[in-house]
Structures are given as C-alpha cells and as structure tokens.
Amino acid sequence: HHLKQLLTAGKISESQITAAARRILEIKFRLGLFENPYRHCDAQREAKALYAREHLAIAQRVATESLVLLKNHAQTLPLKPGRKIAVIGSLADSQRDLLGSWKGEGDWNFIETVLGGIRRNNTNGTVTFSPGCEIATTNRAGFAEAVTAAQRADIVVLVLGEAWNMSGEAKCRTSLNLPGVQTALLRAIKEAGKPVVVVLMNGRPLALEEESELADALLEAWFPGTEGGKAVADTLFGKANPSGKLPATFPRNLGQVPIFYAAKNTGRPIDPSNPNAEYKSSYLDSPNDPLYPFGFGLSYTKFGYSDVQLSHHALQAGGKLTASVTVTNTGPLTGQEVVQLYLHDVVGSVTRPLRELKAFQKIELGPGESRVISFTITEEELTFLRGDMTWGTEPGDFKVFIGPNSRDTRTAGFKLLSR
C-alpha cells in the first residue's frame, strides 16, 4: 500500500524493487513454474504421496528415535511376548492424541494406537484394556476395573500424560503434575503388586518425582505422530532399542522452575559433599538437581566412558585441540548412544554458564564394542558476548565435559592463551 509513496519520497530506490523482484523470479524459474505453473497441483501425485508407505516408514523411525527411556529398573523392559499384559489409561487407545496439537490436516482414523501395537506384538499372549480414568477429571469410577485387570496380569503398561489439546499456543498450565487423578490411578495400580511400565504422552516437561518412584520403567513418548503407536509398542517389545535424549530439563517439582542445565553460577553455590550447609543456594525441602537432566536418556544396553583425553592442555589463539573419550557398550545388546560435549568458561568479563552443549555424536555399538569419539575445539566454540558488548573470546581456564547427558560427565581442563 505504501511502496509508490516510499519510492516517490526517495526512501527506497527503483533498483531495490528490481532486485527484490529478480530474487522472486529467479526462484520461480528454478522451480520450473514458468514452463508449468501448476506442476505440483496434481491430484494423482497427492494421492500417491499422502501417507505413502516410504513416508510412514520414515515417520516411524523418527518417532522411535525420539522416545526417551527414563527408567528401567531390573530390566523390566523390553517386554517378552506371550505374557498376560494389562494396558491401562485412556491415552493407550487414543488415535487423535498421538498426533498432538500441531497436527494440521493429519488423519488419525487409520493409525495404530499404543494398545493396538501391544496386541500386535504380544503373540501367544493376552492383552486386557481398561481406561482407568479420564485425563483431566477427578472421576475415579474406573479405578476398580483397572486394578482388577492389573491383578490378573503378569505386567502392566500404564499410558499417562496430557491430552492433545493441552499443549501449543495459549495452552499454559499452572502445574507440571500429571493432570486429573492419573497419579492416584498409578498408586492404585502399583498396589496390585505387578511390574508397572509407564508410557508418557505429553508436550512439555512434567514433574514426575512420585511417578518415577512408583514405576518400574518409564518411557517418554511425547506426541509421537502418525506412526507413534507402532514406534512405542515395537520399542516396548525390544524391536527397537531406545536412543532418544531429553531436549529439556525435567524438574522434581514446580518450585524448581525455572531450571535448566546452562544456568549461571551463584554467589554461594551448594557444595555437593555438604548439601545441608547453612546460607548456601539450596532448598530446604528438595535437592537442587533435577529429576532428569538435559540430555538424559537410557538404553536397553549400557555404555561406559573413559576419562577425557586432550591433545593439548593449552589452546593457542587461532589453533585447535582435540578432546576424546572411549565409549564402550558394556551391555548385552546393540545400541545407539549420543555422546555429548559441554564446555565451561571458568572466569569471564560476564558470568558464564556452568555448562554449554557444543557438540554431540550419535554412534552405534555392538555388545563389547568400543570406539574413540573425538571432538575438535577451536576459538569459535569459546566465543561469547563479552562485557564490552563485543563477540569474542577471553584467555583463561576452560573445562571440558563429555558424557551421556549434561550431568554424568567426565572432565578435563585447558587454557586459552592470549593472542
């Protein structure tokens, strides 16, 4: 509406308009739209591409790799076919909730639910289902039926979490606990005395301190999409080995929020060896550390890390050094691990985060296999917005952390030398 007026006033030039138009025309030429402006408006092409088998296979792989195993006490998972399994929770038999809030025009009518996937996998076994309770009400009328199902089963899969429309734009909550009476349902099911696997469907980090104690295994599924039911069920039965890592910190309780791995230090940091010391930055009723840290995620196998080896203990300005660890699969199964590199600038002209994720590598190792994983560190990884509001580095001491998450790391140190 104002372009002609701006041109007349000399605030923009005709050459600027021409350049902007040229960019758009160039893209249209490259797309072939001048030869065939409707080249992708093809009903047959749409029908062939929509929910194509190869696309669904990718969706299942993506969903599988996004699952995060948070707990697996006494190798409760993977499940073995042929058992009596009680599947409890309304989310277990929900197609719509698998797609989450940003589903667009997604079709949930044909997809397999978590319940359906468990039935498909549990060959020569039995699967009983009970909703137990609704997601966000206080109605406990279904508790008795659910408890009976648990008592008659060998193992329970309890699917808990949030509904699809509890996340997204304008969907804030004042609590991070499971909504409704779902935690009370978990308590009732636990009293049946059977192993309990909790599958979580949610769009935000939740406060799961009690749930983590009650569950024998805990699998974070998020809202895993069209093929999410298959991904969850196949992973529960060991057809896939969990390898996902948390992209956010899970607090113990709401009072810890905000909580994140890249926090700044305090003037009176807590001493882990003396957590009850007076006048330190600590809670009276809770540990400082989160329930599950950023980057956390377990596997059906186990991985061991060696000490960090540095190629140099001093980094010349403009130079580079290599930080390496040996990662070993110490468990019985082939698995994937995400090896994570964090750095800490010990002293700066402004306060620096305690840890910053700078790189990661995802590897696959067979049982007993080891591999040396190396990261290259240059000045680029050490830059920050300094006290004088310029980007750059400052000489001094740095710490290197490498491990499976932001908490459980091996450490080494080096100096950045002055130019």
Side-chain angles (χ1 to χ4, degrees):
H1 295 294
H2 305 286
L3 190 59
K4 184 176 180 180
Q5 179 182 347
L6 292 170
L7 180 63
T8 302
K11 294 185 178 181
I12 60 170
S13 66
E14 186 174 338
S15 63
Q16 287 177 298
I17 298 174
T18 301
R22 181 181 289 114
R23 295 188 193 105
I24 295 172
L25 293 174
E26 180 184 357
I27 294 298
K28 290 184 176 182
F29 274 118
R30 288 167 60 185
L31 289 172
L33 296 183
F34 283 91
E35 289 78 15
N36 180 6
Y38 305 107
R39 62 181 302 180
H40 295 309
C41 300
D42 184 334
Q44 291 182 336
R45 176 180 178 272
E46 178 188 17
K48 183 179 178 180
L50 195 62
Y51 302 115
R53 182 175 299 178
E54 60 269 25
H55 297 166
L56 293 176
I58 294 172
Q60 183 172 350
R61 180 176 63 82
V62 171
T64 299
E65 294 193 20
S66 72
L67 303 179
V68 185
L69 183 62
L70 298 176
K71 181 181 179 180
N72 193 21
H73 176 67
Q75 288 74 55
T76 303
L77 293 174
L79 301 176
K80 296 178 176 61
R83 305 175 75 185
K84 296 178 183 178
I85 301 175
V87 179
I88 298 172
S90 59
L91 287 169
D93 197 30
S94 171
Q95 295 170 301
R96 183 171 189 170
D97 289 291
L98 287 169
L99 300 187
S101 60
W102 295 106
K103 61 188 180 301
E105 292 299 320
D107 180 7
W108 60 80
N109 292 305
F110 74 95
I111 65 179
E112 182 177 79
T113 64
V114 174
L115 173 62
I118 292 174
R119 284 178 170 152
R120 172 175 51 82
N121 277 278
N122 193 33
T123 52
N124 300 320
T126 61
V127 176
T128 58
F129 171 67
S130 174
C133 67
E134 297 169 313
I135 296 171
T137 72
T138 58
N139 186 357
R140 304 189 184 205
F143 276 31
E145 177 188 285
V147 170
T148 299
Q151 291 170 337
R152 294 174 178 173
D154 298 321
I155 192 166
V156 178
V157 176
L158 184 56
V159 185
L160 305 174
E162 300 174 315
W164 70 272
N165 57 358
M166 288 183 176
S167 294
E169 186 176 359
K171 299 295 183 181
C172 297
R173 295 178 57 210
T174 59
S175 169
L176 293 181
N177 296 329
L178 285 172
V181 292
Q182 293 181 92
T183 301
L185 175 63
L186 172 56
R187 291 191 207 108
I189 297 300
K190 185 66 176 179
E191 291 179 0
K194 304 300 174 67
V196 179
V197 176
V198 172
V199 175
L200 293 167
M201 290 172 56
N202 47 290
R204 57 171 60 80
L206 298 176
L208 302 166
E209 193 164 31
E210 182 179 1
E211 291 80 0
S212 180
E213 286 291 324
L214 292 171
D216 295 280
L218 195 59
L219 182 68
E220 174 61 80
W222 317 103
F223 293 120
T226 305
E227 297 296 279
K230 292 180 181 178
V232 169
D234 287 1
T235 300
L236 290 176
F237 280 87
K239 291 182 178 178
N241 193 342
S243 62
K245 301 287 186 173
L246 289 181
T249 301
F250 275 45
R252 296 176 182 274
N253 52 66
L254 186 62
Q256 289 184 311
V257 176
I259 184 170
F260 48 97
Y261 86 95
K264 303 293 183 66
N265 209 346
T266 70
R268 295 181 176 183
I270 190 172
D271 181 359
S273 65
N274 186 19
N276 297 318
E278 289 284 339
Y279 310 115
K280 296 294 184 179
S281 296
S282 60
Y283 297 104
L284 294 175
D285 56 354
S286 174
N288 278 25
D289 63 318
L291 181 63
Y292 297 113
F294 174 88
F296 183 84
L298 302 175
S299 169
Y300 291 155
T301 192
K302 295 183 180 297
F303 298 96
Y305 283 70
S306 71
D307 290 335
V308 178
Q309 301 295 321
L310 298 180
S311 60
H312 309 286
H313 289 280
L315 176 59
Q316 298 283 347
K320 62 182 180 180
L321 64 82
T322 301
S324 303
V325 294
T326 300
V327 181
T328 303
N329 183 344
T330 61
L333 301 173
T334 296
Q336 294 180 314
E337 171 69 327
V338 180
V339 185
Q340 303 165 38
L341 170 75
Y342 298 84
L343 295 177
H344 171 50
D345 188 349
V346 179
V347 178
S349 55
V350 297
T351 54
R352 306 293 294 121
L354 293 172
R355 297 188 184 193
E356 290 181 289
L357 178 66
K358 292 297 182 178
F360 59 87
Q361 296 183 39
K362 189 168 188 176
I363 60 172
E364 181 172 288
L365 297 175
E369 184 181 357
S370 296
R371 189 178 305 172
V372 176
I373 306 300
S374 299
F375 297 93
T376 299
I377 301 173
T378 67
E379 276 192 288
E380 183 178 355
E381 284 76 42
L382 311 180
T383 58
F384 67 103
L385 188 61
R386 298 174 292 197
D388 62 0
M389 301 306 292
T390 62
W391 281 97
T393 60
E394 294 175 348
D397 294 325
F398 288 81
K399 290 183 178 180
V400 179
F401 307 91
I402 301 179
N405 57 69
S406 60
R407 180 189 63 195
D408 305 315
T409 54
R410 300 299 182 99
T411 309
F414 68 91
K415 286 183 178 293
L416 175 63
L417 302 180
S418 301
R419 286 188 176 275

